[in-house]
Amino acid sequence: MKSAGGRGGIVDGTDLAACRMYRDWPSVRDGYGKSLWSAVGSLPAAAAMLFGLLLVWVVPPVAALFGSRTGLAGYLFGVAGRVATGRRTGARVLPDAGAHPVSVGLLSYLLARSVVLRRYGVLRWKGRDIDAAR
């Protein structure tokens, strides 16, 4: 689809299909490493995504830990959104919703790792090189 000039998007396919993408941490790390670079496509886009993710999902609970009511409200809104999504899609709700900032922290790490590995031409998936940035 991409090679033909098409674009992708995100939709709720819960009623259409189910899948288990990865079985262990190395598979998650490598699979997301492959996909995240393609999702952002450039260093500025990756930086913007990292900044946005951390600002929206990690800063509020950290601020709440230091007594910020606004931070607590932001964290609780994030948890509520995660609960609603989990219930709609049949995903596990607890403890996932409460731990969402940790998930976003891991996603941020995976995104940064993907960008760095691609930049240095060593991004691999299932033993194959992903096209190098050089």
Side-chain angles (χ1 to χ4, degrees):
M1 182 174 84
K2 286 173 67 174
S3 64
R7 294 182 59 156
I10 299 172
V11 297
D12 179 1
T14 305
D15 296 331
L16 301 174
C19 74
R20 179 177 175 98
M21 291 176 54
Y22 307 110
R23 297 191 186 283
D24 55 22
W25 171 248
S27 299
V28 169
R29 182 196 62 215
D30 296 344
Y32 271 75
K34 165 196 58 86
S35 301
L36 286 171
W37 171 255
S38 339
V40 294
S42 72
L43 186 56
M49 183 176 172
L50 279 170
F51 177 77
L53 284 169
L54 295 173
L55 182 66
V56 172
W57 299 110
V58 177
V59 169
V62 170
L65 290 174
F66 288 96
S68 169
R69 290 183 178 164
T70 304
L72 179 60
Y75 171 68
L76 293 175
F77 277 115
V79 168
R82 186 75 189 257
V83 167
T85 302
R87 286 185 177 159
R88 168 65 183 104
T89 62
R92 185 177 67 186
V93 173
L94 295 174
D96 299 30
H100 190 63
V102 175
S103 298
V104 171
L106 284 172
L107 176 63
S108 299
Y109 160 75
L110 292 170
L111 174 60
R113 181 180 179 276
S114 178
V115 169
V116 168
L117 292 178
R118 175 132 189 319
R119 170 67 181 95
Y120 289 101
V122 293
L123 187 58
R124 298 178 58 77
W125 170 245
K126 293 187 175 183
R128 298 183 304 270
D129 290 330
I130 304 294
D131 58 330
R134 298 182 216 169

